[in-house]
Amino acid sequence: MKITINKKGLIIYLTALVAGIIFASFYGGPVAYAPLFALLLIIPVSVIYIVLNYAFLRVYQEVEVHKLTKGEDHKYRTLIENAGVLPIHNMEIGTFKSRCNLYEIPDKTKLSLDIHEKKELFSGINCLFAGVYDVGIENVSFTDPFHIISARFNIPYSFRAVVKPRITEIAGKALDLENLYSSRGRKSERILEDIPGNDIRPYIKGDSLSSVNWKASAKASKLMVRVPDKMEKRTLSILMNADNTPEREQDTDFLIKRDYFLEFVVSAAWLFGNQGIPVTIVYPAGTVREKLVDSRESFMDFYNAVSDGVFYSSDLEYTKICDLAKACRSNKNDRETWIVITENPGAGENFISICD
Protein backbone atom coordinates (compact mmCIF):
# COMPACT_ATOMS: atom_id res chain seq x y z
CA MET A 1 0.00 0.00 0.00
CA LYS A 2 1.19 3.50 -0.82
CA ILE A 3 -0.48 6.56 0.72
CA THR A 4 -0.35 9.97 -0.95
CA ILE A 5 -1.42 13.22 0.64
CA ASN A 6 -3.14 15.80 -1.56
CA LYS A 7 -1.37 19.01 -0.52
CA LYS A 8 -4.11 21.31 -1.72
CA GLY A 9 -6.82 19.31 0.04
CA LEU A 10 -4.70 19.05 3.19
CA ILE A 11 -4.10 22.81 3.31
CA ILE A 12 -7.82 23.49 2.95
CA TYR A 13 -8.58 20.93 5.66
CA LEU A 14 -5.99 22.31 8.11
CA THR A 15 -7.18 25.86 7.48
CA ALA A 16 -10.78 24.85 8.21
CA LEU A 17 -9.65 22.88 11.30
CA VAL A 18 -7.73 25.86 12.73
CA ALA A 19 -10.70 28.11 12.07
CA GLY A 20 -12.98 25.62 13.81
CA ILE A 21 -10.70 25.43 16.85
CA ILE A 22 -10.54 29.24 17.13
CA PHE A 23 -14.30 29.55 16.70
CA ALA A 24 -14.96 26.92 19.38
CA SER A 25 -12.42 28.51 21.75
CA PHE A 26 -14.06 31.91 21.59
CA TYR A 27 -17.74 31.02 21.53
CA GLY A 28 -18.09 27.45 22.86
CA GLY A 29 -21.43 25.68 22.92
CA PRO A 30 -22.91 23.05 20.59
CA VAL A 31 -23.03 25.37 17.60
CA ALA A 32 -19.26 25.92 17.74
CA TYR A 33 -18.19 22.37 18.68
CA ALA A 34 -20.37 20.50 16.16
CA PRO A 35 -18.37 21.73 13.11
CA LEU A 36 -15.10 21.12 15.00
CA PHE A 37 -15.98 17.50 15.76
CA ALA A 38 -17.08 17.03 12.15
CA LEU A 39 -13.72 18.31 10.97
CA LEU A 40 -11.88 16.02 13.36
CA LEU A 41 -13.81 13.01 12.00
CA ILE A 42 -12.96 13.73 8.36
CA ILE A 43 -9.58 11.92 8.45
CA PRO A 44 -10.75 8.69 10.16
CA VAL A 45 -13.89 8.62 8.01
CA SER A 46 -11.74 9.01 4.90
CA VAL A 47 -9.46 6.14 5.99
CA ILE A 48 -12.45 3.88 6.71
CA TYR A 49 -13.99 4.75 3.33
CA ILE A 50 -10.81 3.81 1.45
CA VAL A 51 -10.26 0.60 3.43
CA LEU A 52 -13.85 -0.55 2.86
CA ASN A 53 -13.66 0.21 -0.87
CA TYR A 54 -10.56 -1.95 -1.20
CA ALA A 55 -11.89 -4.71 1.05
CA PHE A 56 -15.02 -5.19 -1.08
CA LEU A 57 -13.36 -4.77 -4.47
CA ARG A 58 -13.30 -7.84 -6.73
CA VAL A 59 -11.10 -7.98 -9.83
CA TYR A 60 -11.09 -11.00 -12.16
CA GLN A 61 -8.88 -11.20 -15.25
CA GLU A 62 -8.61 -13.68 -18.09
CA VAL A 63 -7.00 -14.13 -21.51
CA GLU A 64 -8.40 -16.22 -24.34
CA VAL A 65 -5.50 -18.71 -24.31
CA HIS A 66 -3.72 -20.59 -21.54
CA LYS A 67 -0.25 -19.82 -22.90
CA LEU A 68 0.52 -16.56 -24.62
CA THR A 69 3.28 -15.92 -27.13
CA LYS A 70 5.58 -12.95 -26.90
CA GLY A 71 4.70 -10.26 -29.43
CA GLU A 72 1.32 -11.73 -30.40
CA ASP A 73 -2.02 -10.02 -29.70
CA HIS A 74 -4.58 -11.85 -27.59
CA LYS A 75 -8.03 -11.01 -26.23
CA TYR A 76 -8.13 -9.82 -22.62
CA ARG A 77 -11.14 -9.39 -20.31
CA THR A 78 -11.46 -8.13 -16.76
CA LEU A 79 -14.51 -8.03 -14.49
CA ILE A 80 -14.42 -5.39 -11.73
CA GLU A 81 -17.07 -5.61 -9.02
CA ASN A 82 -17.99 -3.45 -6.03
CA ALA A 83 -19.34 -5.94 -3.51
CA GLY A 84 -19.55 -3.36 -0.70
CA VAL A 85 -22.18 -0.99 0.68
CA LEU A 86 -20.42 2.21 -0.33
CA PRO A 87 -20.05 3.56 -3.89
CA ILE A 88 -16.58 3.78 -5.41
CA HIS A 89 -15.88 7.11 -7.03
CA ASN A 90 -13.07 7.77 -9.52
CA MET A 91 -11.01 4.68 -8.74
CA GLU A 92 -7.78 4.79 -10.75
CA ILE A 93 -6.58 1.63 -12.47
CA GLY A 94 -2.84 1.03 -12.79
CA THR A 95 -1.55 -1.49 -15.34
CA PHE A 96 1.70 -3.39 -15.86
CA LYS A 97 2.55 -0.97 -18.65
CA SER A 98 6.25 -1.93 -18.64
CA ARG A 99 5.36 -5.62 -19.20
CA CYS A 100 2.39 -5.60 -21.54
CA ASN A 101 0.29 -3.40 -23.78
CA LEU A 102 -3.41 -3.13 -22.94
CA TYR A 103 -4.69 -1.30 -25.97
CA GLU A 104 -8.18 -0.36 -24.74
CA ILE A 105 -7.33 0.04 -21.03
CA PRO A 106 -4.61 2.67 -20.73
CA ASP A 107 -2.73 3.18 -17.47
CA LYS A 108 -4.51 5.44 -14.91
CA THR A 109 -7.96 4.77 -16.32
CA LYS A 110 -10.71 6.19 -14.05
CA LEU A 111 -13.65 4.00 -13.05
CA SER A 112 -16.67 4.59 -10.75
CA LEU A 113 -18.91 1.84 -9.38
CA ASP A 114 -22.24 2.05 -7.57
CA ILE A 115 -23.13 -0.32 -4.75
CA HIS A 116 -22.96 -3.95 -5.98
CA GLU A 117 -22.21 -2.83 -9.54
CA LYS A 118 -20.08 -4.87 -11.95
CA LYS A 119 -18.28 -3.64 -15.03
CA GLU A 120 -16.50 -5.60 -17.75
CA LEU A 121 -13.57 -4.16 -19.63
CA PHE A 122 -12.26 -5.67 -22.85
CA SER A 123 -8.95 -5.09 -24.57
CA GLY A 124 -6.26 -6.61 -26.72
CA ILE A 125 -3.11 -7.55 -24.82
CA ASN A 126 0.44 -7.93 -26.06
CA CYS A 127 3.05 -9.32 -23.65
CA LEU A 128 6.50 -7.83 -24.13
CA PHE A 129 8.69 -10.56 -22.63
CA ALA A 130 8.89 -14.33 -22.47
CA GLY A 131 8.57 -15.92 -19.06
CA VAL A 132 6.06 -16.32 -16.25
CA TYR A 133 4.94 -13.06 -14.64
CA ASP A 134 1.92 -10.93 -13.71
CA VAL A 135 0.27 -8.85 -16.44
CA GLY A 136 -2.90 -6.82 -16.89
CA ILE A 137 -4.06 -4.68 -13.96
CA GLU A 138 -1.41 -4.13 -11.31
CA ASN A 139 -3.03 -1.84 -8.74
CA VAL A 140 -5.97 0.42 -7.93
CA SER A 141 -5.99 3.83 -6.25
CA PHE A 142 -8.77 5.29 -4.11
CA THR A 143 -9.32 8.91 -3.07
CA ASP A 144 -11.49 9.92 -0.13
CA PRO A 145 -14.60 12.08 -0.76
CA PHE A 146 -12.78 15.15 0.61
CA HIS A 147 -9.75 14.69 -1.69
CA ILE A 148 -7.24 14.70 1.14
CA ILE A 149 -5.84 11.16 1.04
CA SER A 150 -5.14 8.79 -1.84
CA ALA A 151 -4.13 5.18 -1.28
CA ARG A 152 -2.79 2.72 -3.85
CA PHE A 153 -3.21 -1.03 -3.35
CA ASN A 154 -2.05 -4.01 -5.36
CA ILE A 155 -5.14 -5.77 -6.64
CA PRO A 156 -6.28 -8.80 -4.62
CA TYR A 157 -6.35 -11.14 -7.64
CA SER A 158 -3.45 -10.78 -10.07
CA PHE A 159 -3.23 -12.54 -13.43
CA ARG A 160 -0.13 -14.65 -14.06
CA ALA A 161 0.71 -15.06 -17.71
CA VAL A 162 2.74 -17.90 -19.17
CA VAL A 163 4.44 -16.30 -22.16
CA LYS A 164 6.26 -18.52 -24.64
CA PRO A 165 9.52 -17.24 -26.16
CA ARG A 166 9.84 -16.62 -29.86
CA ILE A 167 11.80 -19.03 -32.02
CA THR A 168 14.27 -16.95 -34.00
CA GLU A 169 17.70 -17.30 -35.59
CA ILE A 170 19.39 -15.47 -32.74
CA ALA A 171 21.39 -18.54 -31.69
CA GLY A 172 22.51 -19.35 -35.23
CA LYS A 173 24.44 -16.10 -35.35
CA ALA A 174 26.42 -17.04 -32.25
CA LEU A 175 26.80 -20.81 -32.60
CA ASP A 176 28.75 -22.38 -35.47
CA LEU A 177 27.47 -25.91 -36.03
CA GLU A 178 30.46 -26.94 -38.12
CA ASN A 179 32.77 -26.16 -35.22
CA LEU A 180 30.51 -27.48 -32.48
CA TYR A 181 29.38 -30.74 -33.99
CA SER A 182 30.94 -32.03 -37.18
CA SER A 183 31.62 -35.43 -38.65
CA ARG A 184 34.81 -34.04 -40.15
CA GLY A 185 36.65 -32.78 -37.11
CA ARG A 186 35.13 -33.82 -33.80
CA LYS A 187 36.01 -37.12 -32.15
CA SER A 188 34.66 -39.03 -29.19
CA GLU A 189 35.21 -42.40 -27.58
CA ARG A 190 31.48 -43.14 -27.33
CA ILE A 191 29.70 -43.24 -30.70
CA LEU A 192 31.30 -44.50 -33.90
CA GLU A 193 30.26 -43.65 -37.44
CA ASP A 194 31.56 -44.51 -40.91
CA ILE A 195 33.28 -41.85 -42.97
CA PRO A 196 34.75 -42.21 -46.44
CA GLY A 197 38.43 -43.15 -46.28
CA ASN A 198 41.28 -42.86 -48.80
CA ASP A 199 41.75 -46.55 -49.57
CA ILE A 200 40.08 -47.88 -52.74
CA ARG A 201 38.78 -51.39 -53.44
CA PRO A 202 36.44 -52.96 -56.05
CA TYR A 203 32.72 -52.63 -55.54
CA ILE A 204 31.04 -55.49 -53.63
CA LYS A 205 27.33 -56.17 -53.72
CA GLY A 206 25.75 -54.36 -50.79
CA ASP A 207 28.13 -51.40 -50.78
CA SER A 208 26.43 -48.01 -50.63
CA LEU A 209 26.40 -46.08 -53.89
CA SER A 210 27.43 -42.99 -51.94
CA SER A 211 30.81 -44.65 -51.29
CA VAL A 212 31.55 -45.10 -55.02
CA ASN A 213 34.57 -43.15 -56.21
CA TRP A 214 33.47 -42.27 -59.74
CA LYS A 215 36.82 -40.91 -60.90
CA ALA A 216 38.65 -44.06 -59.83
CA SER A 217 35.86 -46.17 -61.36
CA ALA A 218 36.27 -44.40 -64.71
CA LYS A 219 40.00 -45.03 -64.75
CA ALA A 220 39.65 -48.68 -63.73
CA SER A 221 36.63 -49.29 -66.01
CA LYS A 222 34.81 -50.86 -63.05
CA LEU A 223 33.13 -49.65 -59.93
CA MET A 224 35.55 -48.75 -57.17
CA VAL A 225 34.53 -47.71 -53.65
CA ARG A 226 36.31 -45.96 -50.84
CA VAL A 227 36.98 -48.12 -47.81
CA PRO A 228 35.20 -46.49 -44.84
CA ASP A 229 37.14 -45.47 -41.79
CA LYS A 230 35.73 -45.24 -38.31
CA MET A 231 35.44 -41.86 -36.64
CA GLU A 232 33.96 -41.15 -33.27
CA LYS A 233 31.16 -38.69 -32.78
CA ARG A 234 31.25 -36.01 -30.14
CA THR A 235 28.41 -35.52 -27.64
CA LEU A 236 26.87 -32.06 -27.32
CA SER A 237 25.08 -30.60 -24.29
CA ILE A 238 23.60 -27.23 -23.33
CA LEU A 239 23.46 -26.06 -19.72
CA MET A 240 20.88 -23.41 -18.86
CA ASN A 241 22.55 -21.51 -16.03
CA ALA A 242 19.42 -19.56 -15.03
CA ASP A 243 19.47 -16.86 -12.37
CA ASN A 244 17.84 -17.53 -8.98
CA THR A 245 16.20 -14.16 -8.35
CA PRO A 246 13.26 -14.26 -5.89
CA GLU A 247 9.90 -13.50 -7.46
CA ARG A 248 9.39 -10.34 -5.40
CA GLU A 249 12.59 -8.90 -6.92
CA GLN A 250 11.81 -9.75 -10.55
CA ASP A 251 11.58 -6.27 -12.05
CA THR A 252 11.56 -5.16 -15.68
CA ASP A 253 15.33 -5.50 -16.00
CA PHE A 254 15.08 -9.11 -14.85
CA LEU A 255 12.29 -9.84 -17.35
CA ILE A 256 14.37 -8.39 -20.20
CA LYS A 257 17.29 -10.69 -19.33
CA ARG A 258 15.01 -13.71 -18.87
CA ASP A 259 13.35 -13.01 -22.22
CA TYR A 260 16.67 -12.93 -24.08
CA PHE A 261 17.90 -15.99 -22.17
CA LEU A 262 14.83 -18.09 -23.07
CA GLU A 263 14.76 -16.92 -26.69
CA PHE A 264 18.42 -17.81 -27.16
CA VAL A 265 18.09 -21.27 -25.60
CA VAL A 266 14.96 -22.33 -27.52
CA SER A 267 16.45 -20.95 -30.73
CA ALA A 268 19.59 -23.03 -30.15
CA ALA A 269 17.50 -26.12 -29.41
CA TRP A 270 15.47 -25.52 -32.59
CA LEU A 271 18.68 -25.05 -34.57
CA PHE A 272 19.99 -28.46 -33.52
CA GLY A 273 16.69 -30.33 -33.40
CA ASN A 274 15.60 -29.11 -36.81
CA GLN A 275 18.81 -30.49 -38.33
CA GLY A 276 18.55 -33.79 -36.49
CA ILE A 277 21.62 -33.13 -34.37
CA PRO A 278 21.15 -34.65 -30.90
CA VAL A 279 21.76 -32.24 -28.04
CA THR A 280 21.09 -32.80 -24.35
CA ILE A 281 19.74 -29.73 -22.55
CA VAL A 282 20.09 -29.44 -18.78
CA TYR A 283 17.68 -26.91 -17.28
CA PRO A 284 15.98 -26.02 -13.96
CA ALA A 285 12.22 -26.62 -13.68
CA GLY A 286 11.95 -26.81 -9.93
CA THR A 287 14.57 -29.54 -9.93
CA VAL A 288 17.47 -29.93 -12.34
CA ARG A 289 16.24 -31.83 -15.38
CA GLU A 290 17.58 -32.84 -18.76
CA LYS A 291 15.99 -33.33 -22.15
CA LEU A 292 17.41 -34.89 -25.31
CA VAL A 293 16.44 -32.84 -28.36
CA ASP A 294 17.08 -34.61 -31.66
CA SER A 295 13.96 -33.89 -33.70
CA ARG A 296 11.14 -31.40 -34.07
CA GLU A 297 8.93 -33.51 -31.81
CA SER A 298 11.43 -33.64 -28.96
CA PHE A 299 12.08 -29.94 -29.44
CA MET A 300 8.39 -29.16 -28.90
CA ASP A 301 8.43 -31.17 -25.67
CA PHE A 302 11.37 -29.11 -24.43
CA TYR A 303 9.86 -25.85 -25.70
CA ASN A 304 6.62 -26.42 -23.79
CA ALA A 305 8.54 -27.39 -20.65
CA VAL A 306 10.67 -24.23 -20.47
CA SER A 307 7.65 -22.08 -21.41
CA ASP A 308 5.97 -23.27 -18.21
CA GLY A 309 8.74 -21.65 -16.23
CA VAL A 310 12.45 -21.84 -15.45
CA PHE A 311 12.88 -21.77 -11.67
CA TYR A 312 14.43 -23.48 -8.65
CA SER A 313 12.44 -25.16 -5.91
CA SER A 314 15.30 -24.73 -3.45
CA ASP A 315 18.76 -23.23 -3.11
CA LEU A 316 20.16 -26.75 -3.35
CA GLU A 317 18.95 -27.07 -6.96
CA TYR A 318 20.52 -23.72 -7.82
CA THR A 319 23.79 -24.90 -6.28
CA LYS A 320 23.68 -27.99 -8.50
CA ILE A 321 23.45 -25.85 -11.64
CA CYS A 322 26.25 -23.54 -10.46
CA ASP A 323 28.53 -26.48 -9.65
CA LEU A 324 27.80 -28.07 -13.01
CA ALA A 325 28.59 -24.79 -14.78
CA LYS A 326 31.95 -24.61 -13.00
CA ALA A 327 32.71 -28.21 -13.93
CA CYS A 328 31.82 -27.55 -17.58
CA ARG A 329 34.06 -24.51 -17.79
CA SER A 330 37.01 -26.58 -16.59
CA ASN A 331 36.08 -29.45 -18.93
CA LYS A 332 39.01 -30.85 -20.91
CA ASN A 333 37.22 -33.96 -22.13
CA ASP A 334 37.76 -34.70 -25.81
CA ARG A 335 34.46 -36.61 -25.89
CA GLU A 336 32.10 -33.81 -24.88
CA THR A 337 31.19 -30.27 -25.84
CA TRP A 338 29.24 -28.19 -23.32
CA ILE A 339 27.57 -24.90 -24.18
CA VAL A 340 26.96 -23.00 -20.94
CA ILE A 341 24.41 -20.20 -21.34
CA THR A 342 24.45 -17.91 -18.29
CA GLU A 343 21.43 -15.69 -17.77
CA ASN A 344 23.16 -13.17 -15.51
CA PRO A 345 26.92 -13.36 -16.11
CA GLY A 346 29.13 -12.22 -13.27
CA ALA A 347 32.57 -10.69 -13.39
CA GLY A 348 34.77 -12.59 -15.82
CA GLU A 349 31.87 -14.67 -17.16
CA ASN A 350 30.39 -14.70 -20.65
CA PHE A 351 26.78 -15.15 -21.68
CA ILE A 352 27.90 -18.08 -23.85
CA SER A 353 30.77 -20.36 -22.89
CA ILE A 354 31.71 -23.20 -25.26
CA CYS A 355 33.60 -25.79 -23.26
CA ASP A 356 35.39 -28.65 -25.05
Side-chain angles (χ1 to χ4, degrees):
M1 179 179 67
K2 181 179 180 180
I3 298 177
T4 304
I5 304 298
N6 186 332
K7 294 181 180 180
K8 182 178 179 180
L10 181 62
I11 291 173
I12 295 174
Y13 169 73
L14 292 177
T15 302
L17 182 61
V18 171
I21 293 173
I22 294 173
F23 182 70
S25 300
F26 277 97
Y27 295 97
V31 175
Y33 280 100
L36 176 61
F37 289 148
L39 286 168
L40 291 173
L41 287 173
I42 283 179
I43 297 298
V45 168
S46 298
V47 172
I48 293 172
Y49 172 81
I50 290 174
V51 170
L52 288 176
N53 277 342
Y54 174 72
F56 290 102
L57 182 70
R58 305 289 183 265
V59 180
Y60 307 98
Q61 305 179 77
E62 65 178 18
V63 180
E64 61 178 339
V65 293
H66 173 62
K67 289 185 179 180
L68 295 79
T69 302
K70 174 192 171 183
E72 292 185 0
D73 292 339
H74 300 280
K75 293 180 181 179
Y76 167 88
R77 182 184 78 95
T78 180
L79 174 66
I80 303 177
E81 176 186 2
N82 177 16
V85 295
L86 296 174
I88 298 176
H89 180 66
N90 276 347
M91 176 181 66
E92 186 176 275
I93 298 174
T95 65
F96 285 101
K97 60 181 180 180
S98 63
R99 302 180 177 186
C100 66
N101 294 321
L102 283 175
Y103 301 117
E104 283 78 37
I105 309 176
D107 189 45
K108 298 183 178 180
T109 296
K110 299 282 188 178
L111 185 67
S112 297
L113 295 169
D114 291 332
I115 300 172
H116 298 300
E117 183 181 5
K118 301 178 182 179
K119 285 189 178 180
E120 281 187 315
L121 302 178
F122 298 90
S123 176
I125 187 171
N126 187 317
C127 295
L128 304 179
F129 312 109
V132 180
Y133 52 92
D134 292 337
V135 297
I137 297 176
E138 178 181 12
N139 54 61
V140 289
S141 299
F142 302 97
T143 302
D144 70 281
F146 309 100
H147 298 282
I148 299 174
I149 302 173
S150 294
R152 186 175 69 192
F153 301 88
N154 291 331
I155 62 169
Y157 309 102
S158 58
F159 181 83
R160 172 145 298 201
V162 179
V163 186
K164 298 184 294 184
R166 293 182 300 183
I167 303 172
T168 64
E169 296 182 357
I170 185 174
K173 300 176 181 178
L175 301 177
D176 186 350
L177 287 183
E178 286 299 319
N179 289 331
L180 288 174
Y181 192 98
S182 173
S183 62
R184 293 190 295 275
R186 297 293 186 175
K187 292 189 177 182
S188 169
E189 297 176 1
R190 296 183 179 180
I191 306 173
L192 299 178
E193 66 172 349
D194 290 337
I195 61 167
N198 295 319
D199 293 336
I200 303 296
R201 63 166 173 78
Y203 175 82
I204 300 174
K205 186 178 181 180
D207 287 339
S208 173
L209 289 178
S210 61
S211 65
V212 174
N213 187 320
W214 298 104
K215 290 184 178 180
S217 299
K219 292 180 179 179
S221 300
K222 61 180 178 179
L223 289 178
M224 303 293 292
V225 297
R226 290 173 291 184
V227 179
D229 291 336
K230 292 289 185 181
M231 193 189 76
E232 297 167 340
K233 290 184 178 178
R234 186 180 185 88
T235 62
L236 179 63
S237 302
I238 294 177
L239 174 64
M240 293 178 60
N241 188 9
D243 198 18
N244 189 28
T245 301
E247 185 176 334
R248 62 182 178 275
E249 299 176 11
Q250 294 181 5
D251 55 10
T252 302
D253 290 338
F254 171 85
L255 293 177
I256 292 173
K257 290 181 180 179
R258 175 57 56 88
D259 171 62
Y260 183 79
F261 177 69
L262 291 176
E263 184 174 327
F264 190 95
V265 171
V266 300
S267 297
W270 171 256
L271 185 69
F272 293 119
N274 194 41
Q275 298 190 32
I277 298 175
V279 56
T280 300
I281 304 179
V282 181
Y283 64 98
T287 58
V288 177
R289 305 181 184 182
E290 64 177 49
K291 175 67 178 178
L292 176 65
V293 176
D294 57 1
S295 64
R296 295 190 179 188
E297 291 74 16
S298 57
F299 165 78
M300 290 306 302
D301 291 339
F302 167 74
Y303 179 65
N304 290 326
V306 295
S307 295
D308 287 335
V310 173
F311 63 98
Y312 301 94
S313 59
S314 66
D315 292 337
L316 178 61
E317 300 299 326
Y318 178 59
T319 302
K320 290 180 182 178
I321 287 288
C322 293
D323 291 344
L324 185 56
K326 291 178 181 178
C328 291
R329 291 191 179 98
S330 60
N331 175 40
K332 300 301 181 182
N333 194 334
D334 289 337
R335 300 171 300 176
E336 297 177 329
T337 293
W338 279 89
I339 304 173
V340 181
I341 303 176
T342 305
E343 180 177 12
N344 190 21
E349 293 182 342
N350 297 320
F351 178 71
I352 306 170
S353 299
I354 301 177
C355 314
D356 54 8

